[in-house]
Amino acid sequence: QVQLVESGGGLVQAGGSLRLSCAASGSIFTVNAMGWYRQAPGKQRALVATITRGGGTNYADSVKGRFTISRDNYKNTVYLQMNSLEPEDTGVYYCNCNADRRPWDTRDYWGQGTQVTVSS
């Protein structure tokens, strides 16, 4: 029983900003890495950014310098601050959480996705 609740998606004009949030809840022993993935229209789901429990980050080249991922370990929440948005950023953004329900049971969990649309 691990649930991910996302918020913050919407419609913005090019150059605008959005902040996505995702909170993991349920029976969790340890939350490991968290991240954001997106599926652009007609494309496969792709990595946007990930962050380890210790704060190490990884970004897709296309968003470096514009997006910032962060997390609050106490709240089991991951954020994605998106600035200077471009139409190419349009897609469904999915929150991912790698979590241990128990030390011997590690799985990936996914949010339902939130739509981000950037108009030109």
Side-chain angles (χ1 to χ4, degrees), residues 7-52:
S7 63
L11 172 64
V12 298
Q13 293 186 347
S17 298
L18 285 173
R19 186 192 186 209
L20 306 183
S21 300
C22 174
S25 63
S27 181
I28 303 173
F29 182 77
T30 301
V31 175
N32 303 309
M34 305 183 78
W36 292 94
Y37 296 73
R38 69 187 179 191
Q39 184 175 7
K43 302 295 184 180
Q44 183 179 336
R45 182 187 65 185
L47 181 147
V48 177
T50 60
I51 184 168
T52 67

Side-chain angles (χ1 to χ4, degrees), residues 40-110:
K43 302 295 184 180
Q44 183 179 336
R45 182 187 65 185
L47 181 147
V48 177
T50 60
I51 184 168
T52 67
R53 183 174 183 83
T57 59
N58 182 39
Y59 296 92
D61 288 341
S62 60
V63 306
K64 288 181 179 178
R66 300 187 298 118
F67 291 10
T68 302
I69 189 170
S70 60
R71 66 187 290 171
D72 185 330
N73 289 342
Y74 180 77
K75 297 180 178 180
N76 287 333
T77 299
V78 62
Y79 307 92
L80 186 68
Q81 179 66 46
M82 304 185 292
N83 298 326
S84 301
L85 283 162
E86 305 168 353
E88 291 73 23
D89 296 317
T90 293
V92 179
Y93 284 67
Y94 296 92
C95 176
N96 170 265
C97 172
N98 180 269
D100 303 333
R101 293 186 65 188
R102 290 291 186 272
W104 58 89
D105 186 9
T106 301
R107 304 183 187 187
D108 283 316
Y109 301 89
W110 294 91

